[in-house]
Amino acid sequence: VGVVLSSDTLRSMKVFRVIRLLRLLKLIRIMRASRIVKRWKASVSLSLRTIGVGNFLVVLFVLTHWIACAFALCAQLESPSWKDVFIARHVMTHENTVTMFEVGVHEQKVSHFTLYMAAAHWAGMTLTSIGYGDIGAVSTIERGVGIVLMLVAGCLWAY
């Protein structure tokens, strides 16, 4: 093995092993945090129904965030995307004149927070199956990811 791999390669592999071991320390912190949560649950008298609703809301918000991030990532991977349509609509409402060809010029006027909130809006509408239709998938990648995310959302509600 030493003949095939150079010594630099072996050293870099050892570095990766050390990094993996350091990641295990994070697991220990998570386990300690779970013990703290268990102690807190024992000290605070909450009904199982209240704890269940709280857990569901946490899962709902985390899943909404993940879906929003996935949908926003799709917009970064391919153009044209829902982001371009959103920017055109956003700028049009503020300046009254914009075409799809001017979207690149106006893209800097829309903040990352605004785009994230639009993606989170879409995620919330998809997750709750309301679907207003104001933001929708434009590219093939977005449609494919949208289908997968809708199935995930359906599984959450079925759960």
Side-chain angles (χ1 to χ4, degrees):
V1 173
V3 174
V4 176
L5 298 173
S6 68
S7 61
D8 292 335
T9 306
L10 287 175
R11 283 189 203 129
S12 68
M13 291 175 79
K14 288 180 184 178
V15 169
F16 286 126
R17 288 183 185 161
V18 170
I19 291 173
R20 280 188 192 165
L21 287 175
L22 292 176
R23 288 174 58 194
L24 284 176
L25 293 175
K26 285 184 181 180
L27 267 172
I28 294 170
R29 286 192 306 183
I30 290 172
M31 290 176 63
R32 187 181 314 148
S34 69
R35 281 189 278 150
I36 292 171
V37 169
K38 284 180 185 177
R39 269 191 248 138
W40 178 76
K41 282 182 181 179
S43 67
V44 176
S45 60
L46 293 174
S47 68
L48 290 176
R49 181 185 311 159
T50 305
I51 292 171
V53 169
N55 288 342
F56 178 74
L57 289 175
V58 167
V59 168
L60 187 67
F61 282 112
V62 168
L63 192 59
T64 300
H65 170 71
W66 286 349
I67 289 174
C69 289
F71 197 59
L73 178 66
C74 288
Q76 299 297 326
L77 294 177
E78 193 172 12
S79 187
S81 68
W82 69 268
K83 181 179 78 168
D84 300 326
V85 175
F86 175 76
I87 290 171
R89 286 184 188 157
H90 182 75
V91 173
M92 191 181 316
T93 57
H94 296 295
E95 294 185 8
N96 294 331
T97 57
V98 69
T99 64
M100 283 299 290
F101 299 109
E102 298 172 334
V103 168
V105 174
H106 295 290
E107 190 167 354
Q108 290 80 22
K109 293 183 181 180
V110 179
S111 68
H112 292 293
F113 179 75
T114 303
L115 288 175
Y116 173 77
M117 290 306 292
H121 170 77
W122 180 87
M125 295 303 109
T126 301
L127 194 58
T128 59
S129 72
I130 294 172
Y132 287 140
D134 54 348
I135 299 172
V138 175
S139 68
T140 305
I141 290 176
E142 289 174 351
R143 288 185 184 108
V145 169
I147 290 168
V148 170
L149 296 176
M150 285 181 233
L151 293 173
V152 168
C155 290
L156 174 71
W157 286 116
Y159 172 71

